Amino acid sequence: MTLSELRYIVAVARERHFGRAAEACFVSQPTLSVAVKKLEDELGVSLFERGTGEVTVTTVGQQIVEQAQRVLEEADGIKHLARHGKNPLAGILRLGAIYTIGPYLLPRLIPRISEQAPEMPLMIEENFTSVLSERLKRGDLDVIVISLPFNEPGVLTRPIYDESFIVLLPGSHPWSGQASVDVDQLGNEDVLLLGPGHCFRDQVLEVCPNCIRSTAGGNSLQRGLEGGSLETIRCMVASGVGITVLPCSAVAEDRFVEPLVRGLPFAGKAPHRRVALAWRKSFSRLEAVDVLARAIRGADLPGVSYPDSA
């Protein structure tokens, strides 16, 4: 059993295709196929079911692939120590962030990381929580910034900050003269939401289930009230299409100012989300996680608060 063979089976499990896995590993397909078959013979089990269109990982194969990923991470950790001595803040940190956090946090975070860890450039990816989770577990990302709850086997989390939600409405809206908005009022309005797959959409609907609206003919009205990003939704609010709920860090970015839009707090205890870092238990650069957490706290995001556990 070799590290190369372990890399091959991890690649096949990820790509679900021998040809694409071979390209990802920079080897020919026959070389990869022979190596995988050799490993299967050595272990005495089938790791993959070969189909005409796609490769499927067997049950025992999935367990072996997960263990192979851990072995490869440990091997990479040895290389990292040899290359950078014992400095965990040297070398690229692969950072993921969900779409509703990245645009507002990253511009404030990167200068502080550059100051605190100048030898640790960030390779950044924005995506849905589900995609970031899978890429984290596969080792494609080192740390991700997500919204809790987030429970995944083999993954640790660290709360960083709490962020309240705010209502954004057109400046001409009848509520613009109010000091705050009651949650129950939202159900009677055209509330612009992110599309399915965004955890922030789910959090808004948890606060106000009646924000989902439909017609007798289907969900055409609701689809018209959905946007692909918070910035798109902000533009729709400014144009007078409807109102929306945003995290306070997004409201603070004054793309539009009064009289086009106005942000109002919720009456009483405002709904909020808790933002956290997540990383694999096997990730060895824990000092990098600490620096990242400190840099986020020092990013001075408007309107957030910091839990004692941060």
Side-chain angles (χ1 to χ4, degrees):
M1 185 185 306
T2 66
L3 290 178
S4 293
E5 291 169 351
L6 297 184
R7 289 192 185 92
Y8 296 161
I9 65 171
V10 168
V12 173
R14 180 177 65 245
E15 301 293 340
R16 296 295 200 269
H17 190 276
F18 276 82
R20 292 194 296 270
E23 291 178 5
C25 295
F26 302 102
V27 298
S28 67
Q29 183 171 338
T31 297
L32 182 139
S33 298
V34 168
V36 172
K37 185 64 168 64
K38 173 179 173 294
L39 182 59
E40 288 180 319
D41 291 342
E42 179 181 346
L43 297 175
V45 296
S46 294
L47 303 178
F48 306 103
E49 295 179 0
R50 282 79 164 169
T52 54
E54 186 177 88
V55 174
T56 303
V57 187
T58 63
T59 301
V60 66
Q62 183 61 44
Q63 296 174 340
I64 291 173
V65 166
E66 291 173 359
Q67 181 63 36
Q69 180 66 61
R70 290 191 286 269
V71 171
L72 292 172
E73 289 177 16
E74 294 296 337
D76 286 342
I78 293 173
K79 292 180 181 179
H80 178 81
L81 290 175
R83 189 179 303 116
H84 302 290
K86 293 187 177 181
N87 181 9
L89 303 182
I92 289 174
L93 184 72
R94 298 167 298 178
L95 177 67
I98 57 176
Y99 290 118
T100 58
I101 291 178
Y104 314 106
L105 172 63
L106 294 173
R108 296 169 179 263
L109 171 66
I110 290 172
R112 286 158 180 79
I113 289 291
S114 297
E115 294 172 0
Q116 299 178 31
E119 297 181 62
M120 190 178 74
L122 300 181
M123 184 176 292
I124 298 167
E125 175 180 337
E126 285 186 312
N127 221 310
F128 296 109
T129 300
S130 58
V131 176
L132 295 178
S133 174
E134 288 303 313
R135 290 181 59 74
L136 178 71
K137 289 186 288 186
R138 290 202 308 252
D140 298 329
L141 294 170
D142 299 319
V143 187
I144 59 176
V145 188
I146 44 82
S147 179
L148 297 179
F150 183 81
N151 300 302
E152 293 291 343
V155 174
L156 299 174
T157 59
R158 178 174 174 177
I160 300 297
Y161 62 85
D162 294 332
E163 181 172 28
S164 298
F165 300 165
I166 294 179
V167 178
L168 189 72
L169 46 87
S172 59
H173 195 281
W175 296 352
S176 61
Q178 298 180 189
S180 61
V181 175
D182 192 284
V183 170
D184 294 336
Q185 292 180 274
L186 297 180
N188 299 319
E189 294 291 314
D190 292 330
V191 180
L192 306 174
L193 299 170
L194 289 169
H198 290 276
C199 60
F200 187 70
R201 169 195 173 94
D202 299 332
Q203 290 165 345
V204 172
L205 290 177
E206 184 177 350
V207 174
C208 179
N210 294 331
C211 287
I212 283 288
R213 309 203 29 212
S214 62
T215 64
N219 294 321
S220 57
L221 174 60
Q222 187 57 48
R223 284 197 296 271
L225 297 178
E226 291 175 354
S229 72
L230 293 183
E231 293 310 303
T232 299
I233 289 177
R234 188 201 302 272
C235 292
M236 293 168 70
V237 171
S239 68
V241 173
I243 70 172
T244 193
V245 178
L246 297 179
C248 60
S249 61
V251 175
E253 298 296 326
D254 55 351
R255 307 292 195 276
F256 301 103
V257 296
E258 294 186 29
L260 278 179
V261 297
R262 185 174 180 211
L264 291 180
F266 280 94
K269 183 175 175 58
H272 71 281
R273 67 179 177 181
R274 175 159 288 185
V275 174
L277 297 178
W279 65 95
R280 296 178 305 281
K281 289 181 178 179
S282 58
F283 184 57
S284 60
R285 299 170 64 188
L286 298 184
E287 290 88 346
V289 177
D290 290 338
V291 166
L292 188 59
R294 289 198 300 271
I296 292 175
R297 289 191 61 131
D300 297 325
L301 280 171
V304 306
S305 59
Y306 302 100
D308 294 338
S309 55

